[in-house]
Amino acid sequence: MRKKLFALAVLFLCAGGVSLFAQESIESLGFSLDVVWLFIGAILVFIMQIGFACVETGLTRAKNAINITMKNVMDFCFGAILYWAIGWGFMYGKDALGGLIGTDQFFNGPMAVDVENSGFYKSWFFQVVFAATAATIVSGAMAERTQFKSYLIYTCFISAVIYPISGHWVWGGGWLAEMGFHDFAGSTVVHSVGGWAALMGGVIVGPRLGKYVKGADGKISVKAFPGHNIPYAALGVLLLFFGWFGFNAASTGIATVGGGGIWSGLNIARVAVTTCLAAAAGAIGALIVSWSWFKKPDASMTLNGLLAGLVGITAPCAVVSPSASIIIGLIAGALVVGSVEFIDKVLKIDDPVGASSVHLTCGIFGTLAVGIWANVPEEGIVGLLHGGGLALLGVQLVGVLTVGAWAALTSLLLFLILKATTGLRVSHKDELMGLDLSEHKSEAYTGFQIFSNL
């Protein structure tokens, strides 16, 4: 009898040990999958840096190709170091001043190999590529006439201060997060911030030479400067489309089921679907509107329409249905065409690649779209069209206005300071020569004759 009891006790202890070991193994495997998923997502978003470089280079003139490429390389290099040293702490450090700013984790670099420290590194690596996206948006809007050194100073400031502080309000547990503001992957946190900076930069640096010419009758004519390589721009747009699946789908933060809901691995596929459909609809919407408006299917507008659909769906991608994502994409595609024409011909702000229209206009629309089409009642995220009333839409509007005011005012102040001190714009002679030769003493197309239309 005693032998039987002893055998049963041993069996019970072994079973418990195996069960405990299995549970720990499952949890460890789950954490490892989460790390790998976030790493893959970060790599996809990093590819978007190549996409931005190609788009901006293709939509501008050949004599400035090296300058634009250099800006897209170096804004990440400077931004990565400063986001690690300062930006991360402002964005995800201990909350202070009522949710306005983070106050610790500066120069963070834990050496112990454990779950907590691994969690920091996986999150930082994913977030740094988002910071780079916000910074590089401005490059295209100020292309072809901005001093390289002044651009580098700007990109350091947005990566270290402007983007992280407003990012803390939303993703760092700050005051907008407490209000219930929802921006799943960054229509406002990333794109509108970059878009506002791009708009302010375009205003302060001024238009390219020959862009706006006053005639004898006093009327101002607007001259178009066609991009030198539209296929190159199309390649960039497709790379951005590819990378955006990491931008949106990996923003779940985990690959495993976790607690369920929109911040779960269960939602990855839906986010990918809504992202894909909105992008496709954006391109179609811009194609239809530009074809109707200009009587020809405009390639650059259609490409920007695809990007507009992506920016528009970035905030609501996890909380809207596939059909709603198509509507959001179509509207964003139509909006970007109207916005490009309005900024260029009415406001007379020279934006060579339409960055302000894509990222600011459609970033604002995408953020407000959450308050209109969101339909996740189990998490209290319900928009106007699904019986949620104006409550969520009102919160989204508060976020748009406050983040917009912060980004616009700080960027405006920064560009004014740069203009008054180091200088912001190259000389007329250097601009006519092209920034490749004047700023870098090299040519992108050595051996080819580059015909310049100013």
Side-chain angles (χ1 to χ4, degrees), residues 56 137-138 140-141 191 194-195 198 304 351-361:
E56 294 169 17
I137 288 168
V138 182
H191 295 283
N304 270 339
D351 184 344
V353 304
S356 302
S357 296
V358 170
H359 299 280
L360 174 55
T361 302

Side-chain angles (χ1 to χ4, degrees), residues 150-213:
S150 298
Y151 177 80
L152 293 181
I153 294 171
Y154 144 76
T155 200
C156 290
F157 198 82
I158 192 172
S159 299
V161 180
I162 298 176
Y163 167 75
I165 289 179
S166 56
H168 178 80
W169 301 351
V170 182
W171 291 344
W175 68 277
L176 279 174
E178 291 294 324
M179 284 185 65
F181 180 79
H182 180 81
D183 186 358
F184 188 78
S187 287
T188 282
V189 175
V190 179
H191 295 283
S192 287
V193 168
W196 278 113
L199 188 67
M200 294 300 103
V203 170
I204 301 304
V205 78
R208 291 167 289 177
L209 293 175
K211 177 66 178 178
Y212 302 110
V213 180

